[in-house]
Amino acid sequence: MTERMVIVGGDAAGMSAASQARRIRNPDELEIVAFERGHFTSYSACGIPYWVGGRVEGPDGLIARSPEEHRRRGIDLRMRTEVTELDPGRQRVRIVEREHGEQARWVDYDHLVLATGARPVRPRLPGIDAEGVYGVQTLDDGQALIDALESGEHGRDGTRRAVVVGAGYIGVEMAEALVERGYRVTVVDRGPQPMSTLDPDMGALVYEAMCGMGIETVRGAAVTGILTDEAGRARGVSTGDAEYPADVVVLGLGVRPETELARRAGLPLGPSGGLLTDLAMRVRGQENIWAGGDCVEVLNLVSGRTQHVALGTHANKHGQVIGTNVAGDPEGAATFPGVVGTAVSKVCDLEIARTGLLERQARAVGLQFETVLIESTTRAGYYPGTRPMHVKMLAERRSGRLLGAQIVGRENAGKRVDIAAVALHAGMTVEQMTALDLGYAPPFSPVWDPILVAARKAAAAVREARGG
Amino acid sequence: MTERMVIVGGDAAGMSAASQARRIRNPDELEIVAFERGHFTSYSACGIPYWVGGRVEGPDGLIARSPEEHRRRGIDLRMRTEVTELDPGRQRVRIVEREHGEQARWVDYDHLVLATGARPVRPRLPGIDAEGVYGVQTLDDGQALIDALESGEHGRDGTRRAVVVGAGYIGVEMAEALVERGYRVTVVDRGPQPMSTLDPDMGALVYEAMCGMGIETVRGAAVTGILTDEAGRARGVSTGDAEYPADVVVLGLGVRPETELARRAGLPLGPSGGLLTDLAMRVRGQENIWAGGDCVEVLNLVSGRTQHVALGTHANKHGQVIGTNVAGDPEGAATFPGVVGTAVSKVCDLEIARTGLLERQARAVGLQFETVLIESTTRAGYYPGTRPMHVKMLAERRSGRLLGAQIVGRENAGKRVDIAAVALHAGMTVEQMTALDLGYAPPFSPVWDPILVAARKAAAAVREARGG
């Protein structure tokens, strides 16, 4: 008997699940239907800043696979079709075909995959819906912003100005994009430092570097409203204390899980509002409902808590796991054990990376730890193109176990975070890390890789703390 | 009572040991005397190719610390002083001061550190000692080669030609250096592919890339003699079948442990001729003799065998361990658990890296394994500057444990080997590696990092092999 797999959301997690299930089961065994309410499928939202900045051709360049390609692989992908209700009791979902008369109907499923993604944070501020205020979550968002940037409207002095609200990953990436478009950019953030995904001392390094790039960064300033002109068009932002004029205002405040459907269906949500699943990516307490991608919370293997991490790389892994498990791979169930909290980003030539826990996150779960902060270089000191990099490391006081690492540096600094990420997966102590056999040659690293330098200092700090 | 630590060899391992011991013990407790037979101390031999190529200022730029700096830190470093005999029974070494009348005398020790380094392989070929044949092991070697390159002698047609003998790390790095000096370069190697530190299929990728750079690479051709002119000066090499003219001939054949003193003193040597130590870097069977750096064999944690690996990064680690242990750190003995066989190199913009075991190495220790080879890119496919990279992975058939990884790619490919290196230290399976939380953003990686792509394919190969 043919079973039916219904997928809600046609982006990374959903379509990876579809593709993987199709690799294992043919259409006679498993019918695969995917509903996507938007105009695009399988696109790289994380590529939007680079499209806006003019480095990447878009929107087509950001689309990994077209609807037609999915259909050719035996996946019945329905675009512009919104799922408006889940009915787990009767194993069906209600759909509305937006381009076919808005008619609603129910579709039965044997296996349901929720891959509804995330929605951008959009604070309820006066003027937030004014023309000239742009999000950067969807390809439609990106196109609207690019159209505005290319419309050639200038400020009174001929300078084009942009305000970015939020100095997290998306905020700093958008700051870079707007600098590349020739805008004078002000980033407004309510935190004490940009990049609240870093500890404040590391965020301060980002702040200094952004100042050096000519990006004005306003810290500790919550936006209280969008300034508009007589035509109702955004002309800047206000923080109560000050006003920052702008020709465009970009919202870069991050995203939240899009789980309204799941909530209404009574499915379990975590503290961040993301769906809770087991390690096989099955929604907790459900036999045949699966969830993955930006709409779920995942286990942080270092903190032992679930958290929301919106990253395409996780979404693709979730999709693989779900597809394998829905298809019932005879090799056994696949699992997604969790994350260690790795992220990497850049603003101009500054690279910013982290993995594991920040100080406040470690404290919040009851860990006692030592921290060290070192400065080193990306290559041998004498090799041309060597650039500075800072590494911060957290290690548990009692066990010496690595708890986290943060990197702020220039070219070739960021991806070194992977060394610490693998060490976190493996539960290594910083003392063990001092013996890691990492690739060394002068064009690639100093004779002591910066990660080794940090690990040595962290190991010494742990020994000293225990001895004292 | 003041003890005396005597160090034979004033380069990375020896001087790291001295510095570390001095950090823990003051001169009243521990006298530290180091003997170096050459003109230089604490220099980066691995930087010589970049100095020869003109990218790095030398020789001073390659010297990490001068004799005076060491002396200021309370280390009695004696340059141009050769140790000619070890006498473990009476705890003394015989020295000859080369610049003070060549007089010999005995020096007593409480702790002896052997850090005698390595010597370049120099085959006994007709003409090998001719003028115009250069090694690249010491700073003196480097200066002699640079003087020759800058002397402006040209071949008959105005083209300057160089032959590099050997296509391992030092050979390909020297090929790059000579290309940068404007030479037409021929690399002659007796192996079927360049880079015998890679499997032949990966070496073939290096061969193709070197051809694309205009470097002639002659494979499967053993040099049988150096061609000389009537003045006895080298004018090329002969392989029996063919002759390759050259204005300079560079020997890039790698190095062997310099352990003649140790052999004569009856200290234990391994199959590669390197000193054998315990995990604390104490020479096996000796209470107060330590050894580290290029003169020792180290345990390969994947193969379970000792091997010789001449790399400054290991030498520095050994020195740290020895210095800690000679000083008797109350925190407990330091250890060097072993290597996983990581190495990274480049020739022009080609990056070459490996870790773990090659196929032949895995077979030699009785492992059965699956191999996969994938092609991916260094950044998101749509991001500017993305470059191709190949990853080969070996996994044990029965356990799925990672056994090795090899990378051949362009900019930003090589250092990714560290991910696999840490996974090897941790004993991860390739299935476990598929879940690694690696840094992802379009400028840094495709959504599936190439290492993850290889791990997925390797995991599938292992499942299939076990199922079949």
Side-chain angles (χ1 to χ4, degrees), chain B residues 257-389:
Chain B
E258 177 67 276
T259 49
E260 182 56 19
L261 281 178
R263 191 188 62 72
R264 291 197 330 245
L267 297 179
L269 304 182
S272 309
L275 276 155
L276 296 176
T277 73
D278 66 12
L279 297 180
M281 303 310 293
R282 190 184 260 115
V283 172
R284 290 191 196 168
Q286 300 293 320
E287 190 54 41
N288 55 355
I289 305 179
W290 313 75
D294 291 1
C295 67
V296 304
E297 293 189 17
V298 289
L299 178 64
N300 183 307
L301 295 165
V302 190
S303 71
R305 300 258 176 101
T306 63
Q307 67 177 122
H308 181 236
V309 187
L311 271 175
T313 186
H314 299 324
N316 275 281
K317 291 192 189 99
H318 297 168
Q320 282 272 325
V321 168
I322 293 169
T324 301
N325 294 342
V326 167
D329 190 336
E331 299 282 356
T335 55
F336 181 83
V339 303
V340 295
T342 311
V344 60
S345 185
K346 78 184 209 35
V347 47
C348 301
D349 71 337
L350 189 76
E351 299 188 356
I352 306 161
R354 59 150 294 168
T355 190
L357 305 182
L358 305 182
E359 291 195 31
R360 68 170 186 271
Q361 294 171 323
R363 269 191 292 270
V365 293
L367 289 162
Q368 288 188 327
F369 53 88
E370 299 299 314
T371 72
V372 296
L373 175 55
I374 65 103
E375 184 174 1
S376 182
T377 57
T378 54
R379 308 171 191 254
Y382 55 77
Y383 195 85
T386 188
R387 304 298 308 274
M389 63 180 281

Side-chain angles (χ1 to χ4, degrees), chain A residues 44 320 342 382 437 439 456, chain B residues 44 320 342 382 418 437 439 456:
Chain A
S44 172
Q320 282 271 326
T342 312
Y382 56 77
D437 183 2
R456 278 172 61 191
Chain B
S44 172
Q320 282 272 325
T342 311
Y382 55 77
D418 288 345
D437 183 3
R456 278 172 63 192

Side-chain angles (χ1 to χ4, degrees), chain A residues 77 101 152 182-183 186 195 236 285 304-305 309 329 342 345 367 423 453 466:
Chain A
L77 171 60
Y183 276 71
T186 303
M195 299 304 299
R305 301 259 176 98
V309 187
D329 190 335
T342 312
S345 184
L367 289 162
V453 176
R466 290 191 301 208

Side-chain angles (χ1 to χ4, degrees), chain A residues 147-298:
Chain A
D147 291 346
L149 297 177
E150 291 179 346
S151 70
E153 288 186 44
H154 292 195
R156 269 169 244 172
D157 57 358
T159 305
R160 298 187 295 178
R161 293 171 198 277
V163 164
V164 177
V165 183
Y169 291 107
I170 187 74
V172 302
E173 287 168 1
M174 288 311 302
E176 170 183 327
L178 292 159
V179 164
E180 294 203 335
R181 284 277 180 176
Y183 276 71
R184 184 177 292 182
V185 179
T186 303
V187 179
V188 182
D189 192 81
R190 63 181 177 185
Q193 300 291 353
M195 299 304 299
S196 62
T197 55
L198 300 181
D199 282 328
D201 51 352
M202 296 298 279
L205 297 173
V206 176
Y207 173 75
E208 284 165 32
M210 288 174 72
C211 293
M213 294 164 191
I215 299 171
E216 189 187 358
T217 306
V218 182
R219 302 172 291 179
V223 171
T224 55
I226 308 295
L227 304 171
T228 51
D229 61 16
E230 49 283 2
R233 199 186 146 73
R235 285 299 171 203
V237 304
S238 171
T239 60
D241 297 338
E243 297 190 342
Y244 300 91
D247 303 293
V248 295
V249 174
V250 176
L251 300 178
L253 290 165
V255 297
R256 295 283 175 270
E258 178 66 276
T259 49
E260 182 56 21
L261 281 179
R263 193 189 59 74
R264 293 201 324 250
L267 298 179
L269 304 181
S272 309
L275 276 155
L276 296 175
T277 73
D278 65 12
L279 296 179
M281 302 310 292
R282 191 183 260 115
V283 172
R284 290 189 196 169
Q286 301 292 322
E287 191 54 42
N288 55 356
I289 306 180
W290 313 75
D294 291 1
C295 67
V296 303
E297 294 188 17
V298 289

